[in-house]
Amino acid sequence: MADRSFPLSDKNKSCSIESDFEYPMPPMTSRIPAVSLSDWPVLRAPSDARRCHCREAAAQCQPQPDVVSQIFTSLRIYAISTAYQLPRTLSLAILEPSRIMRLLQYNNDGDLSLTEFFARNIPKYAILSHRWGVEEVTFKDLTDRMGKSKAGYGKIQFCGKQANHNGLRYFWVDTCCIDKSNSTELAEAINSMFRWYRDATKCYVYLPDVSRPHSDPADMSNEPWKSTFRKSEWFNRGWTLQELIAPASVDFFSKEGELLGDKASLERHICEITGIPAKALRGSPLSDFSVAERMSWAASRETYRQEDKAYSLLGIFDVNMPLIYSEGKDRAMQRLREEIEKASKGFKREDFSVPFSLSDVSDVEHFVARKTELLEMHDSLSGDGSRRAVILHGLGGIGKTQLSIAYAKRHKDNYSAIFWLNIKDEDSLKQSFAKVAKQISREHPSAFRLTNIDINENLDEVVDAVKAWLSLPNNTRWLMIYDNYDNPRLPGKTDPAAVDIRRFLPESYQGSIVITTRSSQVKNGHLIQIRKLGDERDSLEILSTTSRRKGLMDGKDILQFCIAALILVLDPDAIKLAKELDGFPLALATAGAYLDQVAINLSDYLRLYKQSWAQLQESSPALDSYEDRTLYSTWQISFDHVKQQNGLSAKLLCFWAYFDRQDLWLELLQHSDSNDPDWVRELTKDELSFHQAVRVLSSHGLVEVDTFSQEINESRGYSIHGCVHTWTIHVLNHEWDYDLARLAVKFVALHAPGERDFRPWLTQRRLLQHATRCSYMFSSNLVVDDELADECHGLGLLYADQGKLVEAEQMYQWALQGKEKAWGPEHTSTLETVNDLGLLYANQGKLVEAEQMYQRALQGKEKACGPEHTSTLDTVNNLGSLYANQGKLVEAEQMYQRALQGKEKAWGPEHTSTLDTVGNLGNLYKDQGKLVEAEQMYQQALQGFEKAWGPEHTSTLNTVHNLGLLYTHQGKLVEAEQMYQRALQGYEQALGTDNIITYVPALNTIWGFGSLLERQADITKARTMYAKASLGYDKVFGPEHRRSQRLRRKICALDAIVESKAVVVVEEPVDDLQGGLVHLDVREPPSISKRHKLFRKLGLR
């Protein structure tokens, strides 16, 4: 170890230094002198000349050219030209951390000296963290005995004094402990910097822009220095990031040298200022944090030299690389990422990254303006990984969605994953969660709670699984964008369609959230009001890009250099139009789309605009706000042109007001009814006619292909913007057309599929939002329900099939009122609605009300049709099922016997309707414990169905299932398994493996088979069957249905049994789903070879 002291003299030449941490490299030259590579270890770069602002100092600092320096320069050229693939003998000199460290100390005479230590012998030392300023003391200053009069000398004295106070002899200051004229030493020092700060006993942060005089009380919680501390430039510099994180002990000092606190006491402030998690400040391994998260810590930091943006992060990612101070920031960052990737190979850590995608969001090619809003979003969402939320509030069409897209694209590298959710209603939001789940599953197939969930079936469990994944420890750098939250659930608001966003936010207080909404009452985060564009030039740019009339922006090149000069070279008519449209992005885009389609000049468009608005004022005096006038009159011009191009297009847009704005498709309007208006039949006569009409609307920016991706049976739909939809309601239909309203209700009700249709739930779910629109029109007296009683009944069936029982009840009530008024309370059609209302009450658990409805229907049918009419007997059968559910087994048997006798008389004992009642009697006898009689009923029904339908018909298989359930109760487990296997194989053959999961009888069999497997102590297979059945029930009935809830509880109980090794208790399923709890005597299961074969066929393994 060498020990050299350099006493300082008073000689010094001052020069101004502005760099934060600038390390100059030699100028480049094209000459390659013939010099041996053995000279490489002594190559030197120029000194601090590049930072010198006075000529005398610059001349003194600049070394004379020599051959060695030219070799170094030539090698830099070579490295750049060969993609930085330096020869190994050269790269080692740059990449290896320094093995020698110089430390400062005070001699006995009070002068400073430098001592060199090899890595293994470095003593304890203190280290200084600061911003470079003017007149810093350099290594050359020390060796030349200069520098005491420089401004930077005071910081060195401060560091030495503080080190001595803490009992440390040595200390280190970057300005003078590194010989930056030696390029090799400089490169090694930068690659060693993180380690030097990490190994320091104390780190002192000197803040010249924070003042706290000694007289300030130290124990006050509201010291005035804290506000300036939070704004200190030290937190914005690139090199200070590692100087904050690496040392274990960091003390902060004011410009007066007063202690402000340390990293621990100021932790809350530091986390809020920097966005760095507390655990990173406390010394957690940096490998615990993702690359994206660590990159985000430096995103807003600046460096004087652009390459230092990358070089200052070497220690943060524990990598080394050569320094090339001419490559530019992008190339330096690219090399840094390459080194990070190399270092990460073979290193396993939990990663939460998901590729960035906005495939389901309509994006604009050129986003303009909103710089202030983007900056405010970035500031509000920057943090330490704890929860940050921003609410973008503003008028529909003002650009909230596009602003969110722009933010996501701009800052995508700061997040490990970005997900887009449509929260216009609960159904749309759940479907969005399903897409997010697919994204996660693709990148993380073993993701917690996602592996055993069918993403296309059980949406509520999908939502919970995604929320759980987002709440995992260390998964803190995601961004969720909840778009179109325009119907929030608020106190006192009774709208059943309102959404409570809190149910769909991850539980853990982490991650970033953006919410777009038209409601000012959403209070879930930092509110940013999105207003109209304030700069005309931004409006002109939107007009230019959407109209594709580049002449509007002849000054675009000038804009790149001096945006203020743009206004002088623009078309004056474009300026007038921009003023008239008043900065509404959607209005500007719509006008631009019109200009793109029509060969008129801007002055003509402006004239049409003013004429259109005059007409609008006469027809719609209630629309008196300036914003509405701008939006509505702009679309009026486009609408007039649509009428000229295609009259069907214009009529379709008017008709759209009576449907939901999203997902209007051909088949919904296509019913071939001769009573429909001629234009509707012409519009829907074939696909070409419909799509041609829609294309005209799309070309004017009024309609777009629906981006809501879901599985569908029919053709894809189209959507219009919410503001355009409002305009169609209040302007195009300012005189409400009750005939169109009735027609829309008719189409929605008629399109509701029946149980026998292929995968009916897919179309049912598409219809729900349109059914909601119909419900609104009924409740607002915008359609006369007396004339649409049958349609109300159909909508009630739609809601009931989708498990929306409250909405179904309202529809049935409207239908009942309409039928009673039109046909009377005893009409058979009225009684059918009464019967279905009874079924609904039974499903709601309102058994008293259900019985009242059944009794009314029964009495009415007996009077109208007779006691032995088959319609009457259907209600008798339903009443029997109700009594069975109520536990009135005697009364239930009486109803079933009456129904059976009547059907045998009307149709004969082998008629399938008769056999249905025979099967119900079998269920009843089983519930009564009359197992012999139950088996006789099941065998009679089975023989009858086999004769009538064949052994593979679904009705036959339903009875086979019931026999399996009965045999389970009897303890005949071998026979039970045979029945279940026969039923499942038959369903699979009749319906296909993919479809049995949504066929309720097959789901009942899967549940029953699971119960049998549990009885046989095959817990793993039992749980698989239960999970499959649960997914199917959720898909058919919805997660809130009692069957779904009951089976979920069963799965949870089974999991608890596995965890605790508890006594096995099996809840047996029955057809009426009112089975009891049976304690089982577990026996050895029969042969399972057939079972495994069946599992493979059903996809259950």
Side-chain angles (χ1 to χ4, degrees), residues 970-986:
Q970 291 176 318
K972 301 176 181 179
L973 303 188
V974 174
E975 295 86 342
E977 182 164 351
Q978 291 173 348
M979 292 295 103
Y980 285 136
Q981 288 181 345
R982 174 184 169 182
L984 286 176
Q985 289 171 349

Side-chain angles (χ1 to χ4, degrees), residues 14 208 211 283 316 350 377 431 484 568 589 785 813 844 850 964 1032 1044:
S14 66
S211 176
I316 298 295
E350 192 167 13
M377 289 179 69
Q431 290 292 339
N484 302 315
L568 300 177
D785 53 326
Q813 291 288 0
Q844 289 177 313
S1044 304

Side-chain angles (χ1 to χ4, degrees), residues 261-316:
D262 58 20
K263 188 162 61 169
S265 65
L266 297 172
E267 180 178 274
R268 180 177 64 87
H269 297 287
I270 296 171
C271 290
E272 293 175 355
I273 297 167
T274 64
I276 301 173
K279 58 184 180 180
L281 298 177
R282 296 171 186 172
S284 293
L286 293 181
S287 58
D288 289 351
F289 306 92
S290 68
V291 172
E293 183 169 9
R294 281 179 277 175
M295 282 289 187
S296 71
W297 301 342
S300 60
R301 292 175 177 264
E302 301 174 353
T303 57
Y304 182 76
R305 299 291 293 271
Q306 56 178 332
E307 294 87 353
D308 283 341
K309 187 82 172 177
Y311 303 161
S312 62
L313 297 175
L314 295 177
I316 298 295

Side-chain angles (χ1 to χ4, degrees), residues 956-1027:
T956 306
L957 298 173
N958 294 346
T959 305
V960 172
H961 158 81
N962 288 340
L963 267 172
L965 194 62
L966 175 68
Y967 288 147
T968 301
H969 275 267
Q970 291 176 318
K972 301 176 181 179
L973 303 188
V974 174
E975 295 86 342
E977 182 164 351
Q978 291 173 348
M979 292 295 103
Y980 285 136
Q981 288 181 345
R982 174 184 169 182
L984 286 176
Q985 289 171 349
Y987 289 136
E988 192 267 343
Q989 182 175 350
L991 304 172
T993 303
D994 294 335
N995 294 326
I996 66 171
I997 196 61
T998 52
Y999 184 62
V1000 173
L1003 294 175
N1004 295 339
T1005 301
I1006 293 173
W1007 185 346
F1009 199 4
S1011 178
L1012 175 67
L1013 292 168
E1014 184 180 353
R1015 183 170 214 161
Q1016 295 170 337
D1018 195 344
I1019 302 300
T1020 301
K1021 292 292 193 301
R1023 192 193 186 285
T1024 300
M1025 299 297 276
Y1026 286 151

Side-chain angles (χ1 to χ4, degrees), residues 324-336:
I324 307 174
Y325 276 103
S326 59
E327 63 181 326
K329 182 187 73 173
D330 292 341
R331 179 55 186 161
M333 291 299 296
Q334 179 183 339
R335 290 199 298 122
L336 175 63

